[in-house]
Short mmCIF file of all heavy atoms in Angstrom, two decimals:
data_model
loop_
_atom_site.label_atom_id
_atom_site.label_comp_id
_atom_site.label_asym_id
_atom_site.label_seq_id
_atom_site.Cartn_x
_atom_site.Cartn_y
_atom_site.Cartn_z
N LYS F 1 -14.71 3.34 -1.49
CA LYS F 1 -13.54 3.45 -0.62
C LYS F 1 -12.65 2.22 -0.80
O LYS F 1 -13.06 1.10 -0.57
CB LYS F 1 -13.99 3.55 0.85
CG LYS F 1 -12.88 3.43 1.89
CD LYS F 1 -11.94 4.62 1.89
CE LYS F 1 -10.86 4.49 2.95
NZ LYS F 1 -11.40 4.44 4.32
N LEU F 2 -11.41 2.48 -1.19
CA LEU F 2 -10.40 1.44 -1.32
C LEU F 2 -9.32 1.71 -0.29
O LEU F 2 -9.03 2.86 0.03
CB LEU F 2 -9.81 1.45 -2.74
CG LEU F 2 -10.84 1.40 -3.88
CD1 LEU F 2 -10.14 1.57 -5.22
CD2 LEU F 2 -11.62 0.10 -3.84
N VAL F 3 -8.72 0.67 0.25
CA VAL F 3 -7.69 0.82 1.28
C VAL F 3 -6.37 0.34 0.70
O VAL F 3 -6.16 -0.86 0.49
CB VAL F 3 -8.05 0.04 2.56
CG1 VAL F 3 -6.95 0.21 3.61
CG2 VAL F 3 -9.38 0.52 3.12
N GLY F 4 -5.46 1.30 0.45
CA GLY F 4 -4.21 0.97 -0.24
C GLY F 4 -3.09 0.50 0.64
O GLY F 4 -2.18 -0.21 0.18
N ASP F 5 -3.10 0.91 1.92
CA ASP F 5 -2.04 0.46 2.84
C ASP F 5 -2.57 0.51 4.26
O ASP F 5 -3.77 0.57 4.48
CB ASP F 5 -0.75 1.29 2.66
CG ASP F 5 -0.88 2.77 3.05
OD1 ASP F 5 -2.02 3.23 3.28
OD2 ASP F 5 0.16 3.46 3.11
N GLY F 6 -1.66 0.50 5.24
CA GLY F 6 -2.05 0.46 6.64
C GLY F 6 -1.89 1.80 7.31
O GLY F 6 -2.36 2.82 6.84
N SER F 7 -1.17 1.81 8.45
CA SER F 7 -0.98 3.04 9.21
C SER F 7 0.48 3.18 9.62
O SER F 7 1.24 2.21 9.66
CB SER F 7 -1.86 3.04 10.46
OG SER F 7 -1.34 2.13 11.43
N LEU F 8 0.84 4.41 9.95
CA LEU F 8 2.21 4.68 10.38
C LEU F 8 2.48 4.09 11.76
O LEU F 8 3.54 3.52 12.01
CB LEU F 8 2.44 6.20 10.39
CG LEU F 8 3.87 6.70 10.18
CD1 LEU F 8 4.45 6.21 8.86
CD2 LEU F 8 3.90 8.23 10.23
N GLY F 9 1.49 4.21 12.65
CA GLY F 9 1.67 3.70 14.01
C GLY F 9 1.92 2.21 14.05
O GLY F 9 2.71 1.72 14.86
N SER F 10 1.26 1.47 13.16
CA SER F 10 1.44 0.02 13.09
C SER F 10 2.58 -0.39 12.14
O SER F 10 2.79 -1.58 11.92
CB SER F 10 0.14 -0.63 12.63
OG SER F 10 -0.89 -0.44 13.56
N ARG F 11 3.26 0.59 11.58
CA ARG F 11 4.34 0.38 10.59
C ARG F 11 3.85 -0.43 9.38
O ARG F 11 4.57 -1.24 8.81
CB ARG F 11 5.56 -0.33 11.22
CG ARG F 11 6.29 0.50 12.27
CD ARG F 11 7.59 -0.18 12.72
NE ARG F 11 8.22 0.55 13.79
CZ ARG F 11 7.94 0.38 15.08
NH1 ARG F 11 6.99 -0.48 15.45
NH2 ARG F 11 8.57 1.07 16.01
N SER F 12 2.59 -0.19 9.02
CA SER F 12 2.05 -0.89 7.86
C SER F 12 1.71 0.06 6.72
O SER F 12 1.26 -0.38 5.66
CB SER F 12 0.82 -1.70 8.25
OG SER F 12 -0.17 -0.89 8.86
N ALA F 13 1.92 1.38 6.91
CA ALA F 13 1.82 2.31 5.80
C ALA F 13 2.92 1.96 4.80
O ALA F 13 4.06 1.68 5.19
CB ALA F 13 1.99 3.75 6.29
N ALA F 14 2.59 1.94 3.51
CA ALA F 14 3.54 1.51 2.48
C ALA F 14 4.45 2.68 2.07
O ALA F 14 3.98 3.67 1.52
CB ALA F 14 2.80 0.97 1.28
N LEU F 15 5.74 2.54 2.37
CA LEU F 15 6.72 3.58 2.07
C LEU F 15 7.58 3.17 0.88
O LEU F 15 7.79 1.99 0.60
CB LEU F 15 7.62 3.81 3.28
CG LEU F 15 6.94 4.23 4.59
CD1 LEU F 15 7.98 4.38 5.70
CD2 LEU F 15 6.15 5.53 4.41
N ILE F 16 8.11 4.17 0.18
CA ILE F 16 9.01 3.90 -0.95
C ILE F 16 10.35 3.39 -0.44
O ILE F 16 10.93 2.45 -0.99
CB ILE F 16 9.20 5.18 -1.80
CG1 ILE F 16 7.87 5.56 -2.47
CG2 ILE F 16 10.29 4.99 -2.84
CD1 ILE F 16 7.88 6.91 -3.16
N GLU F 17 10.84 3.99 0.65
CA GLU F 17 12.09 3.54 1.28
C GLU F 17 11.78 2.91 2.64
O GLU F 17 10.68 3.05 3.16
CB GLU F 17 13.05 4.73 1.46
CG GLU F 17 13.41 5.45 0.16
CD GLU F 17 14.19 4.57 -0.81
OE1 GLU F 17 14.85 3.61 -0.34
OE2 GLU F 17 14.16 4.84 -2.03
N ASP F 18 12.78 2.24 3.21
CA ASP F 18 12.58 1.52 4.48
C ASP F 18 12.12 2.46 5.61
O ASP F 18 12.43 3.66 5.61
CB ASP F 18 13.90 0.87 4.95
CG ASP F 18 14.30 -0.30 4.07
OD1 ASP F 18 13.54 -0.65 3.14
OD2 ASP F 18 15.38 -0.87 4.33
N TYR F 19 11.45 1.87 6.57
CA TYR F 19 11.15 2.59 7.81
C TYR F 19 12.46 2.96 8.49
O TYR F 19 13.39 2.16 8.57
CB TYR F 19 10.30 1.72 8.75
CG TYR F 19 8.82 1.84 8.49
CD1 TYR F 19 8.22 1.18 7.41
CD2 TYR F 19 8.02 2.62 9.31
CE1 TYR F 19 6.86 1.30 7.16
CE2 TYR F 19 6.65 2.75 9.08
CZ TYR F 19 6.09 2.09 7.99
OH TYR F 19 4.74 2.22 7.76
N HIS F 20 12.50 4.17 8.99
CA HIS F 20 13.70 4.65 9.66
C HIS F 20 13.99 3.85 10.92
O HIS F 20 15.15 3.63 11.29
CB HIS F 20 13.50 6.14 10.02
CG HIS F 20 14.71 6.82 10.58
ND1 HIS F 20 14.83 7.10 11.93
CD2 HIS F 20 15.84 7.26 9.99
CE1 HIS F 20 15.99 7.70 12.14
NE2 HIS F 20 16.62 7.82 10.98
N ASP F 21 12.90 3.40 11.62
CA ASP F 21 13.08 2.65 12.87
C ASP F 21 12.85 1.14 12.70
O ASP F 21 12.72 0.42 13.67
CB ASP F 21 12.18 3.21 13.97
CG ASP F 21 10.70 3.16 13.63
OD1 ASP F 21 10.35 2.74 12.51
OD2 ASP F 21 9.89 3.54 14.49
N ARG F 22 12.81 0.68 11.44
CA ARG F 22 12.75 -0.76 11.18
C ARG F 22 13.38 -1.05 9.82
O ARG F 22 12.68 -1.26 8.82
CB ARG F 22 11.31 -1.28 11.23
CG ARG F 22 11.22 -2.81 11.18
CD ARG F 22 9.77 -3.28 11.27
NE ARG F 22 9.68 -4.69 10.94
CZ ARG F 22 8.54 -5.37 10.81
NH1 ARG F 22 7.38 -4.75 10.99
NH2 ARG F 22 8.54 -6.65 10.48
N PRO F 23 14.70 -1.03 9.75
CA PRO F 23 15.39 -1.26 8.48
C PRO F 23 14.97 -2.58 7.84
O PRO F 23 14.75 -3.58 8.53
CB PRO F 23 16.87 -1.28 8.89
CG PRO F 23 16.93 -0.49 10.15
CD PRO F 23 15.64 -0.77 10.85
N GLY F 24 14.82 -2.56 6.52
CA GLY F 24 14.41 -3.75 5.80
C GLY F 24 12.91 -3.90 5.65
O GLY F 24 12.44 -4.82 4.98
N HIS F 25 12.16 -2.98 6.25
CA HIS F 25 10.69 -3.06 6.21
C HIS F 25 10.14 -1.80 5.57
O HIS F 25 10.49 -0.69 5.96
CB HIS F 25 10.15 -3.21 7.63
CG HIS F 25 8.66 -3.31 7.71
ND1 HIS F 25 7.95 -4.38 7.21
CD2 HIS F 25 7.73 -2.45 8.22
CE1 HIS F 25 6.66 -4.19 7.44
NE2 HIS F 25 6.50 -3.02 8.05
N LYS F 26 9.26 -1.97 4.58
CA LYS F 26 8.67 -0.82 3.87
C LYS F 26 7.17 -0.70 4.08
O LYS F 26 6.51 0.13 3.47
CB LYS F 26 8.96 -0.94 2.37
CG LYS F 26 10.41 -0.75 1.97
CD LYS F 26 10.56 -0.81 0.45
CE LYS F 26 11.96 -0.39 0.01
NZ LYS F 26 12.99 -1.34 0.43
N GLY F 27 6.59 -1.55 4.95
CA GLY F 27 5.15 -1.51 5.15
C GLY F 27 4.44 -2.48 4.23
O GLY F 27 5.07 -3.32 3.58
N ASN F 28 3.12 -2.33 4.13
CA ASN F 28 2.30 -3.32 3.42
C ASN F 28 1.35 -2.67 2.42
O ASN F 28 0.51 -1.86 2.79
CB ASN F 28 1.46 -4.12 4.42
CG ASN F 28 2.30 -4.72 5.54
OD1 ASN F 28 3.36 -5.25 5.31
ND2 ASN F 28 1.81 -4.61 6.77
N TYR F 29 1.49 -3.06 1.16
CA TYR F 29 0.52 -2.66 0.14
C TYR F 29 -0.66 -3.63 0.22
O TYR F 29 -0.46 -4.85 0.23
CB TYR F 29 1.12 -2.73 -1.26
CG TYR F 29 2.17 -1.69 -1.55
CD1 TYR F 29 3.51 -1.91 -1.24
CD2 TYR F 29 1.83 -0.47 -2.13
CE1 TYR F 29 4.49 -0.97 -1.51
CE2 TYR F 29 2.79 0.49 -2.41
CZ TYR F 29 4.12 0.23 -2.09
OH TYR F 29 5.08 1.18 -2.35
N ARG F 30 -1.88 -3.10 0.21
CA ARG F 30 -3.05 -3.97 0.21
C ARG F 30 -3.31 -4.58 -1.17
O ARG F 30 -3.88 -5.65 -1.28
CB ARG F 30 -4.29 -3.18 0.64
CG ARG F 30 -4.30 -2.76 2.10
CD ARG F 30 -4.50 -3.95 3.04
NE ARG F 30 -4.76 -3.50 4.39
CZ ARG F 30 -5.97 -3.36 4.92
NH1 ARG F 30 -7.04 -3.62 4.20
NH2 ARG F 30 -6.11 -2.96 6.17
N PHE F 31 -2.93 -3.84 -2.22
CA PHE F 31 -3.20 -4.29 -3.58
C PHE F 31 -1.93 -4.34 -4.41
O PHE F 31 -1.00 -3.55 -4.21
CB PHE F 31 -4.17 -3.31 -4.30
CG PHE F 31 -5.43 -3.01 -3.56
CD1 PHE F 31 -5.72 -1.72 -3.14
CD2 PHE F 31 -6.36 -4.00 -3.32
CE1 PHE F 31 -6.90 -1.43 -2.48
CE2 PHE F 31 -7.55 -3.72 -2.65
CZ PHE F 31 -7.81 -2.44 -2.23
N THR F 32 -1.92 -5.24 -5.39
CA THR F 32 -0.94 -5.11 -6.46
C THR F 32 -1.41 -3.96 -7.35
O THR F 32 -2.56 -3.52 -7.28
CB THR F 32 -0.87 -6.40 -7.30
OG1 THR F 32 -2.14 -6.59 -7.96
CG2 THR F 32 -0.57 -7.62 -6.42
N ASP F 33 -0.54 -3.47 -8.22
CA ASP F 33 -0.92 -2.39 -9.12
C ASP F 33 -2.12 -2.78 -9.98
O ASP F 33 -3.03 -1.98 -10.21
CB ASP F 33 0.25 -2.01 -10.03
CG ASP F 33 1.39 -1.35 -9.26
OD1 ASP F 33 1.19 -0.98 -8.09
OD2 ASP F 33 2.48 -1.21 -9.84
N GLU F 34 -2.13 -4.02 -10.45
CA GLU F 34 -3.21 -4.46 -11.33
C GLU F 34 -4.52 -4.64 -10.57
O GLU F 34 -5.60 -4.38 -11.12
CB GLU F 34 -2.82 -5.76 -12.04
CG GLU F 34 -1.81 -5.55 -13.17
CD GLU F 34 -2.27 -4.51 -14.18
OE1 GLU F 34 -3.40 -4.64 -14.70
OE2 GLU F 34 -1.51 -3.55 -14.45
N GLU F 35 -4.45 -5.08 -9.32
CA GLU F 35 -5.68 -5.18 -8.53
C GLU F 35 -6.30 -3.81 -8.31
O GLU F 35 -7.51 -3.63 -8.45
CB GLU F 35 -5.37 -5.83 -7.17
CG GLU F 35 -5.15 -7.33 -7.23
CD GLU F 35 -4.69 -7.91 -5.90
OE1 GLU F 35 -4.15 -7.15 -5.06
OE2 GLU F 35 -4.85 -9.13 -5.71
N LEU F 36 -5.47 -2.83 -7.95
CA LEU F 36 -5.99 -1.48 -7.73
C LEU F 36 -6.53 -0.91 -9.04
O LEU F 36 -7.59 -0.27 -9.06
CB LEU F 36 -4.90 -0.58 -7.14
CG LEU F 36 -5.35 0.84 -6.78
CD1 LEU F 36 -6.49 0.83 -5.77
CD2 LEU F 36 -4.17 1.65 -6.23
N TYR F 37 -5.82 -1.14 -10.12
CA TYR F 37 -6.27 -0.65 -11.43
C TYR F 37 -7.65 -1.22 -11.77
O TYR F 37 -8.55 -0.49 -12.21
CB TYR F 37 -5.26 -1.04 -12.51
CG TYR F 37 -5.78 -0.89 -13.92
CD1 TYR F 37 -5.91 0.37 -14.51
CD2 TYR F 37 -6.17 -2.00 -14.66
CE1 TYR F 37 -6.41 0.51 -15.80
CE2 TYR F 37 -6.67 -1.88 -15.95
CZ TYR F 37 -6.77 -0.62 -16.51
OH TYR F 37 -7.27 -0.48 -17.79
N ARG F 38 -7.85 -2.51 -11.54
CA ARG F 38 -9.13 -3.14 -11.86
C ARG F 38 -10.26 -2.53 -11.04
O ARG F 38 -11.35 -2.24 -11.56
CB ARG F 38 -9.07 -4.65 -11.61
CG ARG F 38 -10.33 -5.39 -12.08
CD ARG F 38 -10.37 -6.81 -11.56
NE ARG F 38 -10.53 -6.87 -10.10
CZ ARG F 38 -11.68 -6.65 -9.47
NH1 ARG F 38 -12.79 -6.34 -10.16
NH2 ARG F 38 -11.75 -6.72 -8.16
N LEU F 39 -10.01 -2.28 -9.75
CA LEU F 39 -11.04 -1.72 -8.88
C LEU F 39 -11.38 -0.28 -9.27
O LEU F 39 -12.55 0.12 -9.29
CB LEU F 39 -10.58 -1.78 -7.43
CG LEU F 39 -10.57 -3.17 -6.80
CD1 LEU F 39 -9.77 -3.16 -5.49
CD2 LEU F 39 -12.00 -3.66 -6.53
N VAL F 40 -10.36 0.52 -9.58
CA VAL F 40 -10.60 1.91 -9.97
C VAL F 40 -11.29 1.98 -11.33
O VAL F 40 -12.23 2.76 -11.54
CB VAL F 40 -9.28 2.71 -9.98
CG1 VAL F 40 -9.49 4.12 -10.55
CG2 VAL F 40 -8.69 2.79 -8.58
N LYS F 41 -10.86 1.14 -12.24
CA LYS F 41 -11.47 1.09 -13.57
C LYS F 41 -12.95 0.71 -13.47
O LYS F 41 -13.81 1.28 -14.16
CB LYS F 41 -10.72 0.06 -14.42
CG LYS F 41 -11.20 -0.07 -15.86
CD LYS F 41 -10.64 1.01 -16.74
CE LYS F 41 -10.93 0.73 -18.21
NZ LYS F 41 -10.49 1.85 -19.06
N GLU F 42 -13.24 -0.22 -12.59
CA GLU F 42 -14.61 -0.67 -12.39
C GLU F 42 -15.48 0.46 -11.81
O GLU F 42 -16.61 0.69 -12.25
CB GLU F 42 -14.62 -1.87 -11.45
CG GLU F 42 -15.96 -2.55 -11.29
CD GLU F 42 -15.86 -3.79 -10.41
OE1 GLU F 42 -15.27 -3.70 -9.30
OE2 GLU F 42 -16.36 -4.85 -10.82
N ALA F 43 -14.94 1.19 -10.83
CA ALA F 43 -15.67 2.32 -10.25
C ALA F 43 -15.96 3.38 -11.31
O ALA F 43 -17.06 3.95 -11.37
CB ALA F 43 -14.88 2.92 -9.09
N ARG F 44 -14.98 3.66 -12.14
CA ARG F 44 -15.17 4.63 -13.23
C ARG F 44 -16.27 4.17 -14.18
O ARG F 44 -17.12 4.97 -14.61
CB ARG F 44 -13.85 4.81 -14.00
CG ARG F 44 -13.95 5.67 -15.25
CD ARG F 44 -14.18 7.13 -14.92
NE ARG F 44 -14.42 7.92 -16.11
CZ ARG F 44 -15.63 8.26 -16.56
NH1 ARG F 44 -16.72 7.87 -15.92
NH2 ARG F 44 -15.77 9.01 -17.64
#
């Protein structure tokens, strides 16, 4: 189990575009692309 982002209620789910009710904020990615790649590659 890997956790890629947060939740919508906490405005920490990672969105491509800004939050509608918080301009300038897109949420939080837990991993960089390379960090997630390394973890998935390792699991495989």
Side-chain angles (χ1 to χ4, degrees):
K1 169 70 179 297
L2 308 174
V3 180
D5 66 350
S7 73
L8 206 58
S10 296
R11 294 187 185 87
S12 56
L15 302 178
I16 294 172
E17 301 296 336
D18 289 357
Y19 273 78
H20 186 256
D21 59 357
R22 189 178 168 187
H25 180 67
K26 290 183 171 67
N28 307 317
Y29 291 88
R30 291 289 191 96
F31 307 117
T32 65
D33 292 348
E34 286 306 307
E35 285 173 338
L36 184 58
Y37 166 75
R38 187 192 67 77
L39 288 166
V40 173
K41 182 81 170 175
E42 188 176 49
R44 173 70 186 98

